[in-house]
Amino acid sequence: MAGTVTHDPSPATGGRPGRPLIVTEDAELLDDLLRLCAAAGATPEVHHGVPDHGGGWEAAPLVLVGDDAARRVHGAARRRGVVLVGRDQDDSGVWKRAVQIGADHVLMLPDGEQWLVDRIADVAEGVGRPALTVGIIGGRGGAGASTLACALAVTSARQGLRTLLVDADPLGGGLDVLLGGETAEGLRWPAFAASRGRVGGGALEESLPELHALRVLSWDRGDCVGIPPQAVRAVLAAARRRGGTVVVDLPRRLDDGVAEALAQLDLAVLVVPAELRAVAAAGRVASAVGMVVRDLRVAVRGPYAPGLDDREVARLLSLPLAGEVPVEPALLRPHPAPEPPGASGRSPLARFCTTFWEQALVEAGGTR
C-alpha cells in the first residue's frame, strides 16, 4: 500500500543522481529497504536518527523513514521527499505520524515495494525530461526506413544529444550491421527478453554497443525473432528516462511487442516511395499505426511516378508531410563507403535529418 499525504510535491532532482537516506533501527525493515535500493541501483546512506551534521537530511533527494523512527525525526527540519515506511496495515496512527514529520507518502511493505523501487530509481538516475522518441516505419518493403532511422540517429549524436537507436525489426538483418558494428561488444535484444518491471536506464545504456557516438540495441544472429511485450515496455521506458533522443526502427508487421513500442513514441514517420502501389500499401500501414500513435507523419522518397509529388502523397494518405527524403549518393555505389547513412554532415540526407531534428525538438519544447 502507498498513500499520499496532502503536502508539497517531492523535490525534483534536476537530472542529478543522488543517494537516498534511510532512517530506521528496525533490522528487518532495514534489510528490506537495502534490498529495494539495490534493486533500484542505489546506494543509500543509513542512520538511526536525523544525521548529526544535518546535511544528509536536507540534501538527500529522498528520505525513507521507518515507522519505528518517526518520533526520532519529529523535530527535524521540514522538507519534501520524505516517505514514512511501515508494515502494519491496520495501524491508523501511521497517518498522524506522517503528518507530524511532514512526509509526502505513507508506504506499507510488502505491497508498496514496486512503487518504492521506482521512486528510488528515479532519484538514483536523476529525473529529467524524457527522450524525444521517434519511430520510423516503411510504407512498403524496401522503402528505406532503416536507412532513415540510422541517419536520424547518427545526426542526433553528431549534434551532441544522447542518442539510442533501437532495432525493433527482428527480421531486418540488424541495424548494427548497417552501422558496421556487427562485431561490436555489447548486449543485443535476446539478453533483455526476461526483463520485467523497471530496467535501469544507466545500466541499459552502458550495456549496449557504442557505434558512431550513439548506443545501439539490435539483434544477434541467433534464432530469437520476438521479445515479450512487457520486456519491450521495460526497455524502452528505461531508454526514454535517460533523455536525449531515441530512434526506433519499426517493422511493418504489428504484434503485441510492436504495439508496446508504438505506445512509447512521441511521433512516427512513415517512409513512402512515390509510386501508386507503395501509397496503397502505406495506407494500410497508416491505418494500423494510427490507432496507437497520435502523431504520424509521412516522409516521401523519390523518384516520383507521373502525377505524384510529396504533397500529393501526403494528401492521399491524409497525413502531415515530414518532407522529402533525399537520396544518399554514397549508398548507391556498388561498394558503398564504410560510413553509416547520414555520417557526412553535408550530404542531402544529413541535411534533411538536421532540419527534421530542429523542427521536432522545437515542437517538443527544446533540447532534451
Side-chain angles (χ1 to χ4, degrees), residues 229 256 263:
D256 290 342

Side-chain angles (χ1 to χ4, degrees), residues 259-351:
E260 287 290 349
L262 291 171
Q264 302 256 8
L265 301 181
D266 294 304
L267 67 94
V269 177
L270 183 65
V271 183
V272 183
E275 57 187 46
L276 287 176
R277 187 177 178 188
V279 173
R284 297 174 66 88
V285 177
S287 295
V289 173
M291 292 189 293
V292 183
V293 179
R294 289 175 295 178
D295 188 351
L296 177 62
R297 310 177 191 183
V298 59
V300 183
R301 183 172 63 81
Y304 291 94
L308 288 180
D309 60 19
D310 52 357
R311 288 183 172 82
E312 179 63 11
V313 172
R315 187 191 69 80
L316 290 173
L317 293 172
S318 300
L319 292 175
L321 180 62
E324 177 185 358
V325 182
V327 174
E328 184 90 312
L331 300 178
L332 299 178
R333 298 169 186 163
H335 301 287
E339 289 188 335
S344 174
R346 297 181 179 180
S347 71
L349 181 58
R351 291 198 298 270

